[in-house]
């Protein structure tokens, strides 16, 4: 994507004020100037975000994302319209809302699918024929994640070893070291055509609702989202998330790692370091949410 846009004269990227380094790494490597549009208290587009659209629009790309399954709010939508009217290329990252992937008229959209779906590899990109052609010419993934997933399932069923952790770790290291830009495997493509998306989305919504109420009853703060949508996680606001994350892991409740502050982004404001994402996906039900809530309440009260 970065190479194709660069050939068209683009070399400036505007990003949200909260993101992971992998989102901008290809642009950093190619020497783009990267600036922040900021972030509001709910991790949405701030009301004054249009201030970042003034400079050299013909050279600019803006990357937007609605986090943790929130639906893009009116400010988000208005920024897309204004950016496009100025001639800025708009890219929408729908990774956290693949169950409702409305791209809002963006020029390009993409999502990493392993974040929310049970596939061993895969992402999608849409909206630009040249970029799609480049993507279709990539080598097929040689990831071992499907092997690790199969082994994990066998282990949980009592019919396998514990070697899946080592494979996952090895694949994570390969991804971090090499980028691993490949086409999805046929198995992932087949899985994506058969997944019960409606049932999975309902499970997420039900689990999030149950856990939110249990934690609210215990006085634990849950981040309010910008709007309705299918939640990717339930996000807690805490004083020391890494401490609670480690304690929950000891109790076999595994929460997602939030991003360290990125470097090289101009105008980046205060960094959110008070968030912890709790899983609410389709593997779980009310009893699981009760166990998770109990563990969180007990650990927060220590």
């Amino acid at each position: 994507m970065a190479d194709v846009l660069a050939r068209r004269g683009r070399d400036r990227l505007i990003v949200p004020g909260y993101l992971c380094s992998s989102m901008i790494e290809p642009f950093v490597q190619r020497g783009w100037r990267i600036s922040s549009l900021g972030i509001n208290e709910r991790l949405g587009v701030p009301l004054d975000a249009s201030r970042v659209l003034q400079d050299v629009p013909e050279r600019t790309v803006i990357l937007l994302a609605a986090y943790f399954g929130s639906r893009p709010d009116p400010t988000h939508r208005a920024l897309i319209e204004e950016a496009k009217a100025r001639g800025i290329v708009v890219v929408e990252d729908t990774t956290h809302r693949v169950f409702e992937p409305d791209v809002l008229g963006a020029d390009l959209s993409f999502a990493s699918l392993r974040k929310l779906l049970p596939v061993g590899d895969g992402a999608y990109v849409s909206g630009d024929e040249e970029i799609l052609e480049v993507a279709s010419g990539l080598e097929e993934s040689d990831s071992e994640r499907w092997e690790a997933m199969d082994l994990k399932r066998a282990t949980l069923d009592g019919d396998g070893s514990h070697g899946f952790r080592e494979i996952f770790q090895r694949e994570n290291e390969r991804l971090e070291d090499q980028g691993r830009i490949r086409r999805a495997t046929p198995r992932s493509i087949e899985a994506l055509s058969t997944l019960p998306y409606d049932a999975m989305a309902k499970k997420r919504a039900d689990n999030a609702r149950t856990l939110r109420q249990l934690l609210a009853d215990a006085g634990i703060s849950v981040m309010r989202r910008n709007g309705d949508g299918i939640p990717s996680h339930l996000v807690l606001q805490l004083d020391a998330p890494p401490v609670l994350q480690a304690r929950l892991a000891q109790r076999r409740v595994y929460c997602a790692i939030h991003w360290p502050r990125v470097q090289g982004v101009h105008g980046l404001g205060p960094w959110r370091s008070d968030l912890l994402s709790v899983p609410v996906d389709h593997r779980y039900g009310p009893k699981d949410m009760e166990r998770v809530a109990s563990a969180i309440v007990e650990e927060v009260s220590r």
Side-chain angles (χ1 to χ4, degrees), residues 68 115 233 241 245 253-259 275-279:
F68 306 118
K115 295 288 195 302
H233 300 81
Q245 182 183 40
V253 176
Y254 301 105
C255 299
I257 298 172
H258 274 253
W259 312 307
L275 305 177
L276 182 68
S277 290
V278 183

Side-chain angles (χ1 to χ4, degrees), residues 57-254:
E58 71 280 2
R59 293 169 57 185
T60 300
V61 176
I62 186 168
L63 171 61
L64 297 172
Y67 292 118
F68 306 118
S70 294
R71 288 182 182 142
D73 64 10
T75 304
H76 186 132
R77 295 171 182 270
L79 188 64
I80 289 179
E81 293 181 4
E82 183 174 352
K84 292 189 68 173
R86 290 176 178 272
I88 293 171
V89 172
V90 178
V91 180
E92 184 76 21
D93 178 358
T94 65
T95 295
H96 285 187
R97 53 189 185 89
V98 294
F99 293 97
E100 296 182 315
D102 180 5
V103 298
L104 314 172
D107 298 291
L108 297 162
S109 65
F110 70 92
S112 172
L113 301 179
R114 287 194 302 107
K115 295 288 195 302
L116 301 188
L117 301 178
V119 292
D121 50 76
Y124 82 76
V125 60
S126 66
D128 186 287
E129 291 300 323
E130 185 177 359
I131 291 175
L132 288 173
E133 184 176 350
V134 171
S136 66
L138 295 172
E139 292 183 25
E140 184 180 300
S141 173
D142 59 354
S143 169
E144 296 179 276
R145 290 185 186 277
W146 273 115
E147 178 184 345
M149 292 165 65
D150 291 339
L151 187 56
K152 181 177 181 179
R153 168 51 58 194
T155 301
L156 293 173
D157 291 340
D159 189 30
S161 70
H162 296 282
F164 64 88
R165 292 185 177 87
E166 290 75 15
I167 300 177
F168 278 130
Q169 181 63 34
R170 183 165 65 245
E171 282 300 307
N172 288 342
E173 291 173 355
R174 291 177 74 199
L175 183 63
E176 292 175 2
D177 292 343
Q178 304 172 29
R180 312 301 299 155
I181 302 176
R182 304 288 183 95
R183 283 190 297 112
T185 57
R187 182 172 176 182
S188 287
I189 294 171
E190 180 181 2
L192 290 169
S193 70
T194 60
L195 290 175
Y197 294 101
D198 289 344
M200 293 165 70
K202 184 178 185 304
K203 272 282 192 180
R204 284 183 176 275
D206 290 345
N207 287 338
R209 190 180 306 110
T210 298
L211 183 56
R212 179 183 292 273
Q213 186 59 58
L214 291 168
L215 294 176
D217 291 344
I220 294 176
S221 178
V222 179
M223 191 183 75
R224 295 177 61 194
R225 299 193 302 156
N226 284 317
D228 293 332
I230 307 304
S232 67
H233 300 81
L234 197 71
V235 184
L236 309 185
Q237 293 178 264
L238 306 160
D239 291 332
V243 174
L244 179 59
Q245 182 183 40
R247 289 176 178 172
L248 290 175
Q250 292 175 352
R251 301 176 66 148
R252 302 186 69 181
V253 176
Y254 301 105

